[in-house]
Amino acid sequence: MRVRITGNAARLANPLFNSNKLKMGVFFANIGGGARPTLAEDRTRLSWPSVVEIAQMADGAGIEAFIPLATWSARNRDSDFTKYSYEPWTWAAAIAQATHNICVFTTAQVPIFPPVVAAKLTATVDHISNGRFAINVVCGHAGQALEGLVGAPDLGHDEWYAYADEWIEILDRLWSDPDIFDYSGRYFDLKGAGSYPKPVQQPRPPIMNAGNSDVGQRWAARHSDMMFTAAPTGDDEAIKAKVDHIRGIATEYGREVEVWMSSSVVVRPTEREALEYLDYYAVDHADLLAVASLLRHPTLPAVLQALPAATRREQLRRMVAGSFNMQILVGTPEQLVDRLINLSKAGVDGLNMTFVNYQDELCRVVNHVLPLLEQAGLRGPFARQPSATG
Ligand SMILES: Cc1cc2nc3c(=O)[nH]c(=O)nc-3n(C[C@H](O)[C@H](O)[C@H](O)COP(=O)(O)O)c2cc1C
């Protein structure tokens, strides 16, 4: 059981700030149908017992982060992809109660949660988790994704980041200022703002920011502890250039920011088995409706059908396994660890994993990949602890 400490000491005890050179997270863990646009029969379906099972497996293995996707719209009525999801704050509160070690995130789209609401939600989950909470802030495409659903103002992409500047400024005060204050800005005009109790972690819980654009990188450099971003699979030079660029901007602001990336993982005893599973889920059982909708390319199924088989396979591997620009990590444990060593050399601090079948694949990662990462010096040994309810 984690000792109850408060303040900056609690923040520094958050597993996100441990000494592991490469930190690991499980992403999309509140979503049904698996994290990939696939109709593979074995994809993880949404149920609370399965979410708790996955959380406790990650928790017991010393994985640092458990991160939900925030989505309010069903992308396509005829496709299950991201259609079923648990709401991220309430999900985080319950996961916090079911775990002991892992840092539980919410994913917060800034237009949905006014600062006074976000401040109170944060303090609540930070208390429940005893300082194991963090926020993945989502600013950029919120306008597009939420338009018409939550009555958000119609701001352009970059302006959402200006809005988020005020949003986080107010939150920082609500989280740490003992007094009640007024705030007058371009987007917010608050009288008598104050939030009690304060979060356990002071001056604030860790902030991650998911984005890619220049303005998104600048926001992360100014306000975040971690930027959660994407880069082309396998191009380690491009990854290094992106990481260096983000760190460089943070230096301009006199800050440091970690860079985390997302991945889709298949690990099997042999490379052949891993590739067979990749083709099973990404090629043979691709959810073409979901892929076409993600890429905003309605005629994509017909275009793919007209391609020679080998080209079609390559395209589908990239579009399904690599959707959302995830690093495609497919192979034996040793092959995966080689890729992770290269990502770490390129400066990546954290890797968030997604899977088709979360239970089976995460189990293989825990049993076969994590020990090799320890041998490679990317992660220290973790004293396995029992889970809260397991
Ligand atoms: C790794 C990653 C995770 C993201 N997760 C979410 C999410 O859960 N919900 C959401 O609405 N947007 C999410 N986004 C979208 C971002 O908020 C952002 O709008 C988009 O990446 C565009 O980046 P930009 O704003 O820097 O242009 C995510 C983006 C990235 C790169």
Side-chain angles (χ1 to χ4, degrees):
M1 174 66 79
R2 204 163 173 258
V3 182
R4 284 211 171 253
I5 41 176
T6 55
N8 196 39
R11 183 177 145 90
L12 293 176
N14 188 310
L16 293 182
F17 298 121
N18 72 22
S19 58
N20 284 340
K21 197 164 161 41
L22 184 71
K23 302 195 178 69
M24 315 281 283
V26 175
F27 184 35
F28 262 70
N30 62 325
I31 299 289
R36 314 280 79 223
T38 177
L39 300 171
E41 198 42 48
D42 63 337
R43 67 193 189 276
T44 293
R45 315 294 165 117
L46 189 66
S47 79
W48 187 246
S50 117
V51 171
V52 171
E53 185 190 350
I54 297 159
Q56 293 182 339
M57 199 188 301
D59 189 55
I63 285 172
E64 282 83 2
F66 205 58
I67 308 177
L69 182 82
T71 176
W72 304 91
S73 58
R75 235 167 250 286
N76 191 314
R77 201 187 52 179
D78 298 320
S79 161
D80 273 1
F81 182 58
T82 71
K83 185 193 259 177
Y84 299 92
S85 68
Y86 288 130
E87 184 287 314
W89 298 83
T90 46
W91 171 92
I95 294 294
Q97 194 66 18
T99 52
H100 271 318
N101 314 298
I102 200 163
C103 175
V104 187
F105 278 73
T106 192
T107 292
Q109 291 153 318
V110 294
I112 295 196
F113 302 98
V116 289
V117 177
K120 189 66 96 174
L121 288 167
T122 298
T124 305
V125 188
D126 207 36
H127 280 238
I128 293 170
S129 66
N130 189 20
R132 291 184 290 117
F133 183 55
I135 305 171
N136 178 32
V137 176
V138 169
C139 314
H141 85 342
Q144 271 172 41
L146 302 173
E147 204 176 344
L149 288 178
V150 297
D154 187 14
L155 306 184
H157 174 274
D158 290 5
E159 203 181 344
W160 276 114
Y161 283 97
Y163 179 98
D165 279 337
E166 290 191 7
W167 187 85
I168 195 75
E169 192 189 331
I170 298 167
L171 270 170
D172 274 334
R173 284 197 68 181
L174 289 168
W175 283 331
S176 60
D177 191 333
D179 290 328
I180 291 173
F181 62 92
D182 295 343
Y183 181 94
S184 179
R186 189 163 158 208
Y187 305 101
F188 295 96
D189 195 12
L190 310 183
K191 300 269 179 293
S195 189
Y196 310 91
K198 304 299 175 194
V200 172
Q201 299 175 85
Q202 284 293 315
R204 49 138 86 159
I207 301 289
M208 181 180 261
N209 169 226
N212 281 313
S213 61
D214 190 49
V215 65
Q217 292 178 15
R218 288 204 164 266
W219 196 93
R222 279 199 307 282
H223 300 295
S224 298
D225 300 289
M226 289 134 242
M227 172 144 214
F228 184 15
T229 194
T233 285
D235 187 346
D236 293 333
E237 279 185 24
I239 292 171
K240 182 169 184 335
K242 184 161 191 179
V243 172
D244 289 347
H245 182 66
I246 294 168
R247 286 199 212 287
I249 308 172
T251 309
E252 283 175 32
Y253 295 107
R255 300 187 72 249
E256 286 180 14
V257 64
E258 288 194 357
V259 181
W260 288 48
M261 299 224 168
S262 53
S263 59
S264 69
V265 175
V266 175
V267 59
R268 292 290 184 279
T270 65
E271 185 180 19
R272 210 184 98 216
E273 286 168 274
L275 288 172
E276 275 174 8
Y277 186 73
L278 173 67
D279 286 344
Y280 160 74
Y281 91 78
V283 181
D284 302 341
H285 293 88
D287 182 346
L288 292 176
L289 276 177
V291 178
S293 151
L294 275 175
L295 299 176
R296 297 175 204 283
H297 187 337
T299 59
L300 185 72
V303 173
L304 286 169
Q305 204 51 49
L307 293 174
T311 317
R312 184 170 178 274
R313 188 177 63 201
E314 275 318 305
Q315 297 272 345
L316 278 171
R317 283 178 171 184
R318 188 177 52 76
M319 288 173 182
V320 175
S323 61
F324 296 118
N325 267 326
M326 292 197 183
Q327 298 296 308
I328 305 173
L329 300 176
V330 177
T332 63
E334 291 76 13
Q335 288 173 318
L336 252 65
V337 170
D338 283 347
R339 285 289 306 125
L340 297 183
I341 290 171
N342 286 338
L343 286 173
S344 175
K345 281 187 186 150
V348 173
D349 299 292
L351 188 83
N352 290 327
M353 300 174 285
T354 67
F355 312 104
V356 173
N357 181 309
Y358 273 67
Q359 283 93 334
D360 290 357
E361 211 72 65
L362 179 59
C363 187
R364 278 188 285 273
V365 167
V366 168
N367 290 330
H368 304 294
V369 178
L370 293 189
L372 295 180
L373 287 174
E374 288 178 19
Q375 280 173 29
L378 289 184
R379 296 177 60 79
F382 177 74
R384 279 157 218 275
Q385 297 176 25
S387 279
T389 60

